[in-house]
Amino acid sequence: AYLGKARLLLATSRAAEGRRMLRAALEEARRDGMRVREARVFTVLGRDAIRNHDPVEAVRWLRAACDVASTGGLHRIEADAGSTLSSVLSGAGDLDQAAHYARRSVEAAERAGDSYHLPQRLAALAEIEAKRGALAAAEETYARATRLIESLFADLPKPRDQAALAATMGRVFE
C-alpha cells in the first residue's frame, strides 16, 4: 500500500510528500531487514528520478536496487531494475556499463525462470551490443531471443493467444 500511495503522490503536485514516504519506507526496510521492500523502494526512487530527468540519481537508486536484489536472491526485481538501469546508462552514452547491467538483467531473468520477459531483456542487450559495435554478439543475442519466442509460440495452440504474444514480443523482431 505504501508504494502505491507514494507512486500516486509522485505523479501529482505532492511529489515531495511521496518522496518523503519512500525515504521513510526505505529506512524502515533497512532497519527491519526487509530486502524485498528495500529493493522495490530503490526501484521506485530510480524511476522517479528518470521522470524528473535526473540520470545521476536514477543510476544511483537503480544500482542500489540491483545490488540489494542480487544479494537477496530477488531475481525478478534485479532483472527489472537492471533493465531500467541499462536503459538509463545507454541513454547517457555509457554503453559498457549499460551492457554490463543488461547482461545482469538477462542472467537474473534466467535465474528467475522468467521466460516471458527474457526475450525482451535479450533484445535490449542486443541493441546495446549493436551500439557498441559488437555486431556478431548482437546478432547472436537477437537470434537467441527469437528462438525463445518461437518456443513460447509452440506452447500456445490458439491463434488469439499467439497474436497477443506476437504483439508483446514485436520489439524483438524490429
Side-chain angles (χ1 to χ4, degrees):
Y2 71 95
L3 273 178
K5 182 175 181 180
R7 282 187 190 125
L8 287 173
L9 290 170
L10 290 173
T12 69
S13 61
R14 296 171 55 191
E17 182 181 345
R19 287 185 199 98
R20 281 192 300 276
M21 282 182 67
L22 289 169
R23 290 177 196 268
L26 182 59
E27 290 303 316
E28 178 186 348
R30 286 178 165 166
R31 183 185 64 239
D32 296 342
M34 296 185 294
R35 307 294 270 169
V36 172
R37 179 176 289 187
E38 184 179 3
R40 285 187 175 149
V41 170
F42 279 138
T43 302
V44 172
L45 287 166
R47 289 197 172 121
D48 179 53
I50 292 168
R51 263 192 313 279
N52 287 299
H53 309 288
D54 189 346
V56 173
E57 280 297 295
V59 167
R60 182 171 75 94
W61 292 121
L62 292 167
R63 274 192 176 136
C66 286
D67 292 343
V68 168
S70 178
T71 60
L74 308 169
H75 307 305
R76 287 182 193 270
I77 295 172
E78 181 184 5
D80 182 51
S83 177
T84 304
L85 177 55
S86 72
S87 178
V88 170
L89 291 165
S90 179
D94 190 348
L95 297 178
D96 290 338
Q97 281 296 297
H100 169 76
Y101 281 98
R103 278 188 214 96
R104 276 184 65 175
S105 177
V106 166
E107 291 164 1
E110 288 172 332
R111 285 190 302 274
D114 189 356
S115 59
Y116 183 77
H117 290 103
L118 186 55
Q120 295 165 332
R121 309 264 189 245
L122 286 164
L125 173 58
E127 287 173 21
I128 293 167
E129 291 293 4
K131 287 180 185 177
R132 294 175 72 214
L135 299 181
E139 188 174 326
E140 174 52 37
T141 304
Y142 274 125
R144 184 173 169 215
T146 301
R147 288 190 302 272
L148 287 171
I149 291 171
E150 288 169 351
S151 72
L152 289 172
F153 273 109
D155 293 336
L156 296 174
K158 294 181 182 175
R160 186 180 69 213
D161 296 334
Q162 290 176 349
L165 180 64
T168 59
M169 297 293 172
R171 177 176 172 215
V172 174
F173 296 109
E174 290 178 351

